[in-house]
Amino acid sequence: MLLVEAVRPVDVLDEVFEKVVKARIFRNRAVLSPDYIPERLPHREREIRALGSIVAQALKGERPSNVFIYGLTGTGKTAVTLYVLKRLEAKAVELGAPVRYVYVNCRQRDTPYKVLAEIASALNVRVPFTGLSTAEVYTRIVRRLRTLRGHVIIVVLDEIDWLVRKKGDDILYKLSRIGYELGLDAAKVSIIGITNDVKFVEMLDARVRSSLGEEELVFPPYNAKQLEDILRERAEIAFNPGVLDEGVIPYCAALAAREHGDARRALDLLRVAGELAEREGAEKVTVEHVKRAWVEIERDRVREVVSTLPLHAKLVLMALLDSLGAGGYATTGELYEAYRRLVAKLGIEPVTQRRVSDIIAELDMLGVVSARVVSRGRYGKTRFISLAVDPGAVREALSQDPLLREILG
């Protein structure tokens, strides 16, 4: 009797792992990460010089002016700020000057308590995750700063608009005026606020505006040629030689330039395109990989943005999906009626039409909807609202909310 040896079926995961291990696409993938701060920041020399000249006062023991930095997503605001401050700290060590900075992302630390706890931690002040009042955490920070005589502390509040929208600007007022509580013999504190919203300052109380906005820097979007330069510099370090097809970098740059000159989007596109090529065992990254990466990133972005929206913003988006006409848009009035029908079905109290208009403006700023004002002659003006992203991706993201899943079917 002939015995046939059993052949073990190929393990799917083994196959996946083998493909990735054997792939020779990336040399240093981390270079394409948004957290990576390169040795050189092309096309931001003017902004580096401007911010550097402001914070340089810290090297002489003086308090630098507070700074507001504005610009759309992916225009290099955070990268330039961290680049300048890391160089400042290095120079301070060289000169023996007691200078340090504290970085807080207000989207991640989105309450006054969390912001103050992050600052306290950087100053070696121990505070519990919860349990203290905000006032007590602030008092402990002030107490610590009084012991740091001669020190200059620069506090960076990134995406500061998220905090203010959710919790108001009281904490900003306190931090911007902290020097008055500390007196002359304590540490000197300077604030750098970073925001994607150029109209953000209009949201602030006049007292906060005057004390915080001593200096302002505006970062313009990158154009396609500038994005191409940025990508080429990163690609040289990130990829093995010869793995990128000739058209890949110009195509990534052109797509990102169309999206308000977003360098972060361009880098994400290049990275995801490389990962797609790696997964399928391709020897080169092609324009086709970039096209597929664009679809994948867009869906992920929509999912991330929509999932973090408050309930009524999600309901406004649902109402927009229901009320889009043949032209692919709805007027404010049509959208509000669809919204009212939706909340009635859920048994929820509606917000006012003015609040819905504010929500539309916020969604417009996030790039989820497009709201344009159109003149209708003697009938006045109205807003035409349309989706700026894939409706299927919005519907999929909304369906993650248990309350809305049933209505979406």
Side-chain angles (χ1 to χ4, degrees):
M1 183 177 176
L2 188 64
L3 294 175
V4 179
E5 188 180 341
V7 178
R8 186 173 68 90
V10 176
D11 187 297
V12 174
L13 277 178
D14 278 349
E15 193 177 304
V16 170
F17 295 156
E18 282 295 317
K19 271 186 181 178
V20 172
V21 168
K22 289 178 180 175
R24 293 292 177 264
I25 298 292
F26 288 104
R27 181 162 52 183
N28 185 356
R29 186 192 316 252
V31 169
L32 301 175
S33 160
D35 301 326
Y36 176 79
I37 307 297
E39 291 297 315
R40 210 176 78 83
L41 290 167
H43 305 293
R44 283 295 176 256
E45 292 81 5
R46 183 182 66 84
E47 290 77 11
I48 289 169
R49 182 180 291 276
L51 184 59
S53 65
I54 294 168
V55 299
Q57 298 301 318
L59 297 172
K60 300 192 296 183
E62 301 292 333
R63 184 188 77 83
S65 297
N66 295 325
V67 188
F68 255 141
I69 298 178
Y70 304 92
L72 296 170
T73 303
T75 50
K77 303 179 301 298
T78 303
V80 165
T81 302
L82 294 179
Y83 175 84
V84 169
L85 292 179
K86 282 177 180 177
R87 292 286 299 273
L88 180 76
E89 269 196 347
K91 190 68 177 177
V93 169
E94 187 185 311
L95 298 174
V99 177
R100 71 170 93 167
Y101 73 90
V102 180
Y103 174 81
V104 185
N105 186 306
C106 297
R107 187 194 286 238
Q108 296 167 358
R109 304 285 184 266
D110 58 354
T111 66
Y113 188 97
K114 289 177 183 176
V115 168
L116 290 176
E118 187 83 1
I119 296 168
S121 175
L123 296 174
N124 299 318
V125 177
R126 295 183 64 182
V127 296
F129 185 68
T130 58
L132 297 177
S133 68
T134 303
E136 173 59 25
V137 180
Y138 179 77
T139 299
R140 292 187 185 189
I141 289 171
V142 169
R143 196 181 303 142
R144 170 64 175 152
L145 289 169
R146 284 185 177 136
T147 69
L148 298 175
R149 183 172 183 177
H151 285 63
V152 178
I153 314 292
I154 299 172
V155 178
V156 181
L157 300 174
D158 201 353
E159 302 198 64
I160 195 173
D161 44 302
W162 277 75
L163 177 66
V164 173
R165 280 197 183 87
K166 285 188 71 174
K167 299 296 180 181
D169 59 11
D170 286 352
I171 188 66
L172 276 187
Y173 182 69
K174 275 184 172 296
L175 289 173
S176 65
R177 309 281 291 181
I178 198 169
Y180 293 98
E181 290 193 47
L182 292 172
L184 296 175
D185 295 330
K188 297 181 174 78
V189 180
S190 175
I191 309 292
I192 296 177
I194 304 175
T195 175
N196 298 332
D197 184 358
V198 291
K199 295 182 179 177
F200 168 67
V201 73
E202 297 169 13
M203 299 163 52
L204 300 176
D205 182 279
R207 297 171 305 160
V208 180
R209 207 178 306 158
S210 64
S211 58
L212 196 56
E214 294 173 336
E215 299 270 3
E216 293 185 356
L217 293 177
V218 180
F219 280 53
Y222 293 107
N223 59 38
K225 180 65 178 70
Q226 291 172 334
L227 288 171
E228 207 173 313
D229 291 343
I230 292 166
L231 291 179
R232 287 195 190 283
E233 286 203 9
R234 298 282 188 102
E236 200 170 309
I237 311 168
F239 293 98
N240 282 310
V243 302
L244 294 183
D245 267 0
E246 193 176 325
V248 165
I249 286 178
Y251 191 64
C252 285
L255 284 176
R258 197 173 71 188
E259 289 281 307
H260 315 299
D262 187 341
R264 194 177 303 170
R265 177 64 65 91
L267 290 164
D268 281 347
L269 263 175
L270 194 54
R271 176 182 54 79
V272 174
E275 288 169 354
L276 290 172
E278 188 177 63
R279 283 176 213 155
E280 65 185 37
E283 293 183 359
K284 280 182 172 285
V285 183
T286 66
V287 168
E288 191 55 42
H289 288 122
V290 178
K291 290 176 181 176
R292 283 162 49 201
W294 176 266
V295 173
E296 195 169 303
I297 288 170
E298 187 64 13
R299 295 189 81 84
D300 287 347
R301 184 180 77 87
V302 171
R303 196 178 296 117
E304 181 189 349
V305 169
V306 173
S307 65
T308 59
L309 291 173
L311 175 61
H312 284 279
K314 289 179 180 176
L315 291 171
V316 168
L317 266 181
M318 276 190 72
L320 181 58
L321 284 170
D322 291 342
S323 59
L324 288 174
Y329 63 82
T331 64
T332 307
E334 290 166 346
L335 177 54
Y336 188 65
E337 284 308 308
Y339 162 79
R340 283 181 62 87
R341 288 194 297 271
L342 193 56
V343 294
K345 193 184 293 185
L346 289 168
I348 297 172
E349 191 70 25
V351 297
T352 63
Q353 186 163 346
R354 181 169 181 174
R355 177 60 193 136
V356 166
S357 289
D358 290 342
I359 290 171
I360 291 166
E362 289 163 15
L363 292 172
D364 189 15
M365 192 196 78
L366 289 169
V368 178
V369 307
S370 173
R372 57 194 178 92
V373 178
V374 177
S375 173
R376 305 183 85 173
R378 60 197 179 104
Y379 298 105
K381 294 180 180 178
T382 190
R383 269 198 303 182
F384 284 178
I385 303 121
S386 59
L387 278 172
V389 293
D390 175 29
V394 173
R395 196 173 289 276
E396 182 187 324
L398 289 171
S399 69
Q400 303 306 306
D401 189 313
L403 182 66
L404 309 181
R405 193 178 298 140
E406 194 174 325
I407 298 178
L408 283 163

